[in-house]
Amino acid sequence: MLAAFVSTPAPKDPLSVLEVGDRPEPEVPEDWTTVTVKAASLNHHDLFSLRGVGLPAERMPMTLGCDAAGIDADGNEVVVHAVISSPGWTGDETMDPKRSLLSEVHQGTLAERVAVPRRNLVPKPAELSFAEAACLPTAWLTAYRMLFVRSGLRPGSTILVQGASGGVATALIELGSAAGYRVWVTGRSEAKRAAALALGADQVFEPGARLPERVDGVMETVGEATWSHSIKSLKPGGVVVICGATSGFSPGAELNRIFFLQLSVIGSTMGSREELDQLIQMCRVTGVRPEIDVELPLAQARDGFERMLEGRTAGKIVFTV
Ligand SMILES: NC(=O)c1ccc[n+]([C@@H]2O[C@H](COP(=O)([O-])OP(=O)(O)OC[C@H]3O[C@@H](n4cnc5c(N)ncnc54)[C@H](OP(=O)(O)O)[C@@H]3O)[C@@H](O)[C@H]2O)c1
């Protein structure tokens, strides 16, 4: 079957090891099933996988991809929850120390078919297209958990989103503004800042800009490049929620501000299956839909990877199968 995959890691030149071609059908363990993929979306995680981050060479070749929407073996339209917990685990899947994401241990979703545990299937409502549904399991679910589960913030709070055009950033802007947060956004170009305003941002700023006032919370995915600005932008008692560090993992710690202003630093990762279902219901009720930058046939996956590596994003990149 057709798939996008990696056979050897390349920490410095990830696109050099991206392969789009034939892969064997996925193995289906007991209590797992096969989903025929209709759409799959790209995440920065897939670039990290090509670099060998979280995916050692001994687990390759590996089909890439965490996110998919498709049709299960019984003909139902489904969204795939990407967090694979260990056998027998109950409760919040993200708290399982032995969990993995699809494409870390088990073959991923950028393929014609993917094998997943039956419990990882969530019904796809007819209102959502396969492309929209395929954006939800990683970037959108992560944004949902950051905003509504981990932050402790309430509607009416002012939040700063670092980054305007990425998958998680656009989800934070859309979900945050739909829920009644005042959403401020930094973006690296005029066009990206304008797009953030169109998605519902209240105000936009250049990276590192001085804000009109300090904010209640910052949503961080960028890491090293924005961390200092994030900490300096918080009110006393404010909270920074971090789910990623695209630009690097060694920020200036700003320890003095963190203790003196009694700030909270909260980590957040993915979301539970239940939260994915709640996110889907939120999309139904509010009419919010993932901003899709581009839809490409899976055979043209390289084009999508290039866009993301070069930062040429304007929402989610979706591959149709
Ligand atoms: N922990 C989890 O469960 C989880 C889940 C999802 C994602 N993540 C992480 O979150 C991060 C974002 O993922 P994504 O899929 O949304 O990626 P993406 O689509 O490639 O978006 C990258 C974002 O980073 C911003 N950015 C700002 N400064 C940057 C810099 N100096 N270098 C690179 N990017 C910069 C970009 O802002 P502009 O718009 O201004 O270009 C853009 O919004 C990744 O690190 C990913 O691994 C973690």
Side-chain angles (χ1 to χ4, degrees):
M1 63 174 183
L2 182 67
F5 63 102
V6 56
S7 302
T8 182
K12 295 213 163 71
D13 186 10
L15 289 187
S16 67
V17 292
L18 173 65
E19 296 178 66
V20 182
D22 194 42
R23 288 278 291 147
E25 291 290 329
E27 286 172 24
V28 188
E30 204 181 329
D31 289 334
W32 289 46
T33 186
T34 306
V35 172
T36 300
V37 177
K38 303 291 279 182
S41 79
L42 183 63
N43 290 287
H44 216 94
H45 183 276
D46 302 309
L47 282 176
F48 281 128
S49 298
L50 291 172
R51 295 182 195 274
V53 178
L55 181 60
E58 58 268 23
R59 287 199 217 128
M60 297 180 182
M62 179 64 80
T63 298
L64 300 163
C66 304
D67 292 349
I71 298 178
D72 73 7
D74 300 322
N76 303 306
E77 298 191 352
V78 292
V79 186
V80 173
H81 182 222
V83 184
I84 310 298
S85 45
S86 45
W89 179 266
T90 53
D92 184 341
E93 297 86 356
T94 68
M95 291 297 176
D96 178 0
K98 294 190 177 144
R99 73 183 183 278
S100 66
L101 293 188
L102 283 171
S103 79
E104 290 177 349
V105 176
H106 307 285
Q107 302 296 320
T109 59
L110 300 188
E112 291 179 73
R113 281 167 290 283
V114 61
V116 292
R118 285 181 197 281
R119 65 183 175 189
N120 284 56
L121 299 183
V122 179
K124 179 190 89 61
E127 300 99 303
L128 288 172
S129 69
F130 283 109
E132 289 164 345
C135 298
L136 300 179
T138 296
W140 274 65
L141 179 59
T142 300
Y144 180 94
R145 186 175 175 93
M146 291 171 79
L147 288 168
F148 307 128
V149 181
R150 300 290 289 154
S151 77
L153 297 170
R154 284 188 282 248
S157 305
T158 302
I159 61 167
L160 176 69
V161 176
Q162 296 283 18
S165 70
V168 182
T170 49
L172 287 165
I173 297 165
E174 289 192 64
L175 290 173
S177 63
Y181 292 91
R182 185 162 64 146
V183 181
W184 292 357
V185 177
T186 63
R188 290 185 290 175
S189 72
E190 190 65 49
K192 288 177 183 232
R193 294 191 288 274
L197 286 172
L199 287 180
D202 177 70
Q203 289 191 60
V204 290
F205 305 90
E206 292 183 15
R210 191 182 179 87
L211 304 178
E213 62 188 60
R214 292 205 163 89
V215 299
D216 302 297
V218 179
M219 300 296 135
E220 253 294 350
T221 65
V222 181
E224 201 168 314
T226 50
W227 183 255
S228 179
H229 182 244
S230 294
I231 297 294
K232 287 174 182 155
S233 297
L234 284 172
K235 281 179 186 166
V239 56
V240 56
V241 186
I242 176 162
C243 78
T246 311
S247 63
F249 293 89
S250 308
E254 306 287 350
L255 293 178
N256 54 340
R257 280 178 188 270
I258 290 172
F259 68 74
F260 194 68
L261 296 176
Q262 302 188 72
L263 307 178
S264 300
V265 177
I266 295 186
S268 195
T269 280
M270 299 295 288
S272 65
R273 184 196 179 285
E274 186 186 8
E275 287 157 10
L276 177 57
D277 199 26
Q278 288 164 341
L279 165 62
I280 291 170
Q281 299 317 320
M282 181 174 174
C283 290
R284 290 178 84 171
V285 169
T286 60
V288 166
R289 296 289 181 271
E291 178 70 6
I292 295 177
D293 176 8
V294 63
E295 282 182 47
L296 298 165
L298 179 60
Q300 293 173 28
R302 177 170 294 277
D303 185 8
F305 276 81
E306 277 172 1
R307 284 168 176 258
M308 182 171 275
L309 184 66
E310 293 162 10
R312 288 188 285 121
T313 48
K316 291 289 292 174
I317 295 165
V318 174
F319 301 128
T320 49
V321 186

